[in-house]
Amino acid sequence: MGNRRLFWRIVDKIESLINQGEFTAGSRLPPERELAEMFDVSRPTIREAIIALEVRGRVEVKTGSGVYVVEQKNASIKSKEISAFELTQARALIEGEIAALAAQSITEEELEQLNQTLIVMEKGLYVEQADREFHEIIARATRNKALEFAVSNLWDLRLKNPQIVADYSSVCTNNNECVMDEHTAIYTALRAHDASAARAAMHKHFNRLINALFDAVEARALEEIKRKNDEKRGLYSLDGLVNKSAH
């Protein structure tokens, strides 16, 4: 856990330097040895951070040449075009299979880590952070770093896309009981090493979420219709004229 968090901290620091213009698009990052000295970490930690940055599309590794910063304009535009519905469907498809795969290889230590996140969620504190950790533990249990990075990137999109943040906030409040039931079902299936049950439990979790998103969109649409009708009623209603005539 500590090593993993360490290299992600390095990822965040390098991304911050890229965003601040310290490392510009097209420029080459300092050599691995210099980065290790700069951040006071080991070279293997730097290598893991570079792999993560490459998966995120922030850098490109050119064999024999070095690590180069990638231009982000197109990627940024594309991320803003992704809707909460698309993200949720993608997570359901990907994480359903991740859960099935993890059921076959998850360890007792990872199951205990999952249980700890459930305890945090049940208390209602730091639910979002515990939720992310829950899903990332399952991804790590697959022993497939590409899947682990995919889940991390999907969570980043969930937290950084303004429209997705707004849509999720409308459905992720006052439903902690549903969240607990769904995550507990996933945990129970994983503990039993039942791949089919783990996949089904993960799908059920996201199916409830996507239906809640549809309900929220429908509620907003109805509110907008009512608002517009109220405006028209005030503009065209004869109530005022009728009342004046009566007097």
Side-chain angles (χ1 to χ4, degrees), residues 1-244:
M1 293 286 290
N3 288 337
R4 175 185 167 276
R5 287 182 175 146
L6 177 59
F7 91 75
W8 277 116
R9 285 201 293 271
I10 303 306
V11 169
D12 291 339
K13 289 179 179 179
I14 294 177
E15 274 198 315
S16 178
L17 290 172
I18 292 173
N19 294 337
Q20 293 169 16
E22 292 293 327
F23 300 139
T24 58
S27 68
R28 185 172 64 182
L29 291 183
E32 184 181 283
R33 176 181 52 78
E34 291 184 23
L35 289 173
E37 292 176 355
M38 181 186 302
F39 299 114
D40 194 25
V41 295
S42 67
R43 293 176 70 169
T45 298
I46 293 296
R47 289 188 205 110
E48 288 185 307
I50 294 300
I51 291 171
L53 287 164
E54 187 173 29
V55 171
R56 287 187 173 187
R58 300 309 307 267
V59 302
E60 179 183 6
V61 178
K62 297 182 179 180
T63 305
S65 178
V67 182
Y68 292 82
V69 178
V70 174
E71 173 62 55
Q72 288 295 297
K73 287 184 179 179
N74 291 336
S76 177
I77 293 170
K78 289 179 182 177
S79 71
K80 292 178 181 178
E81 294 173 351
I82 297 173
S83 71
F85 296 105
E86 292 170 321
L87 174 64
T88 307
Q89 184 184 55
R91 288 189 63 195
L93 293 170
I94 294 169
E95 295 197 49
E97 295 311 307
I98 284 175
L101 185 59
Q104 303 172 46
S105 56
I106 195 165
T107 65
E108 288 299 320
E109 181 183 0
E110 287 164 336
L111 286 168
E112 177 56 29
Q113 291 169 3
L114 283 180
N115 189 50
Q116 290 302 313
T117 65
L118 291 176
I119 291 172
V120 174
M121 278 189 264
E122 190 171 26
K123 292 179 179 178
L125 300 172
Y126 311 109
V127 173
E128 192 170 80
Q129 295 94 318
D131 191 5
R132 176 170 186 161
E133 184 66 15
F134 180 91
H135 288 273
E136 290 188 337
I137 290 168
I138 296 172
R140 289 202 302 277
T142 65
R143 313 291 173 245
N144 185 317
K145 288 190 179 296
L147 292 175
E148 182 181 340
F149 292 146
V151 169
S152 180
N153 288 336
L154 289 171
W155 264 98
D156 286 343
L157 181 60
R158 151 80 175 85
L159 297 174
K160 294 178 181 178
N161 180 306
Q163 187 56 54
I164 292 176
V165 170
D167 288 340
Y168 266 63
S169 67
S170 67
V171 301
C172 291
T173 55
N174 302 320
N175 66 348
N176 199 44
E177 186 176 347
C178 288
V179 171
M180 285 305 305
D181 289 346
E182 291 161 3
H183 285 76
T184 300
I186 296 167
Y187 167 75
T188 300
L190 290 168
R191 189 178 61 190
H193 300 286
D194 188 331
S196 296
R199 180 189 293 110
M202 190 68 78
H203 283 169
K204 183 177 181 180
H205 169 49
F206 285 113
N207 189 55
R208 192 269 308 167
L209 181 55
I210 203 164
N211 281 325
L213 284 169
F214 276 115
D215 290 342
V217 168
E218 184 178 80
R220 286 200 299 271
L222 290 173
E223 288 177 3
E224 181 64 13
I225 290 172
K226 184 179 184 304
R227 184 187 65 79
K228 289 182 177 180
N229 281 342
D230 286 344
E231 289 179 355
K232 289 181 179 179
R233 184 177 288 110
L235 183 62
Y236 298 115
S237 175
L238 298 178
D239 287 347
L241 295 175
V242 171
N243 290 335
K244 287 180 180 178

